[in-house]
Amino acid sequence: MNLFTYEKGFCFVYYLSQLCGDTKCFDSFLRAYVEKFKFTSVVAGDLLEFFLGFFPELREKCVDNKKGLEFERWLNASGPPLLEPDLSQGSSLIKPVETLYQLWSSETLDGNHITDIDISKWKTFQIVHLLDKLLDRSPLPPEVMMKLSKSYSALLNSMNAEIRIRWLQIVVRNNYLPDFYKVRRFLENHTSRMYTGPLYEDLCAGTMKAIAMETFYLTQNRLHVNLRRAIQQIFAHSANPAAVMTLLEDKPSDTTNPISLRNVNVSA
């Protein structure tokens, strides 16, 4: 599974909503679906059967077997989505993002114009888009990174994980030490590979392997075994494998007493 899988899933749900022809009707279906299956495990077949049962007129039209858009192909065929939504209206939302990015990318920062743009009122995807562009541009000039943190760090820290992970990756890739405690706190509180993996990779790719290893040493007992192995592989590819595995095999007996960085072997 990768990000492409999620994009394809989004397009399929969009397609189902278009079959209904009415947003309110589709919202009613979603509420009913959640109510019926909450606190249970479901598979794609459960969703589609409930969908066709909720809209019997669509079952009669055999929309599940519409040529070229068969549900079976949506679920099991390889390749790009069979149908993509029209996102042209999103250009009005992207324009302010591009404007702010250009302000942060200019050789001379225009503080007045930057502060005029209030990102606290933006939608999540707008902030994500801005942070993705800044992440791709990293490492940034030190003065830019400092002003970015001063402008947004507190605000972004109160937002969801999709936003925070991107900001913290920017922090790591720019070695911005004043915000590193937020990186550690994030890794201590999140156990999803989607969020922890990228941060561990960035930490180990830079000069902060010690922080990555110490944080993992203190939290590994709370992580799923597959995530632990994935992080261990990140360490093994970025340092002396024998030294890393020796450290990681010795699980902490008391996580209330943090180890010192000087006790962590991070020899390359």
Side-chain angles (χ1 to χ4, degrees):
M1 180 176 289
N2 52 37
L3 291 178
F4 186 73
T5 306
Y6 290 99
E7 294 293 338
K8 197 169 184 178
F10 164 74
C11 291
F12 183 44
V13 172
Y14 168 80
Y15 173 60
L16 294 180
S17 71
Q18 294 301 295
L19 289 175
C20 300
D22 184 272
T23 302
K24 291 184 178 179
C25 288
F26 190 67
D27 287 345
S28 297
F29 155 72
L30 291 176
R31 283 191 289 269
Y33 173 75
V34 172
E35 182 62 29
K36 178 176 176 59
F37 292 103
K38 63 183 179 182
F39 310 125
T40 64
S41 297
V42 296
V43 296
D46 297 323
L47 166 66
L48 298 179
E49 182 60 31
F50 187 78
F51 175 80
L52 294 174
F54 196 87
F55 299 105
E57 68 278 10
L58 295 180
R59 186 192 294 273
E60 293 178 2
K61 294 179 180 178
C62 298
V63 296
D64 54 325
N65 287 314
K66 187 176 181 179
K67 187 175 181 180
L69 293 168
E70 299 89 343
F71 286 1
E72 179 66 22
R73 287 189 62 189
W74 272 105
L75 297 178
N76 298 314
S78 59
L82 304 180
L83 178 137
E84 297 183 9
D86 178 10
L87 301 177
S88 58
Q89 294 182 352
S91 59
S92 62
L93 297 174
I94 291 298
K95 186 175 180 179
V97 179
E98 296 292 342
T99 298
L100 184 56
Y101 172 71
Q102 292 301 325
L103 289 172
W104 281 112
S105 303
S106 63
E107 294 184 3
T108 304
L109 293 181
D110 187 339
N112 292 330
H113 282 87
I114 287 175
T115 55
D116 284 342
I117 302 177
D118 182 8
I119 71 169
S120 67
K121 298 179 181 179
W122 282 7
K123 297 182 181 297
T124 294
F125 87 88
Q126 290 177 290
I127 300 177
V128 165
H129 184 53
L130 173 65
L131 295 178
D132 280 341
K133 293 179 74 67
L134 292 171
L135 185 60
D136 290 340
R137 192 178 177 86
S138 294
L140 303 166
E143 63 275 10
V144 171
M145 187 62 208
M146 182 176 66
K147 291 182 179 180
L148 274 170
S149 178
K150 184 177 180 180
S151 300
Y152 305 136
S153 183
L155 173 66
L156 298 178
N157 195 51
S158 66
M159 295 185 174
N160 64 44
E162 289 289 340
I163 290 174
R164 292 165 62 201
I165 177 63
R166 287 167 169 82
W167 168 247
L168 295 177
Q169 282 188 274
I170 292 173
V171 168
V172 173
R173 293 191 189 182
N174 287 275
N175 287 322
Y176 189 67
L177 297 181
D179 276 359
F180 257 90
Y181 75 96
K182 295 180 181 179
V183 176
R184 294 187 58 168
R185 186 181 299 165
F186 186 89
L187 291 174
E188 290 168 355
N189 294 326
H190 287 78
T191 58
S192 167
R193 181 172 182 174
M194 179 184 298
Y195 298 131
T196 56
L199 274 180
Y200 274 110
E201 289 177 353
D202 284 345
L203 285 167
C204 291
T207 60
M208 297 298 172
K209 296 176 187 176
I211 290 178
M213 295 181 70
E214 181 185 13
T215 303
F216 177 72
Y217 187 85
L218 295 174
T219 62
Q220 59 179 317
N221 287 334
R222 295 191 285 109
L223 304 179
H224 188 278
V225 60
N226 290 337
L227 177 56
R228 288 204 303 269
R229 290 172 180 168
I231 297 173
Q232 288 172 341
Q233 290 177 352
I234 293 173
F235 290 146
H237 284 96
S238 63
N240 184 310
V244 171
M245 296 312 297
T246 298
L247 169 67
L248 299 181
E249 288 171 358
D250 296 329
K251 297 182 180 180
S253 57
D254 182 6
T255 58
T256 61
N257 296 318
I259 61 175
S260 170
L261 288 180
R262 63 175 177 274
N263 295 325
V264 181
N265 186 341
V266 290
S267 57

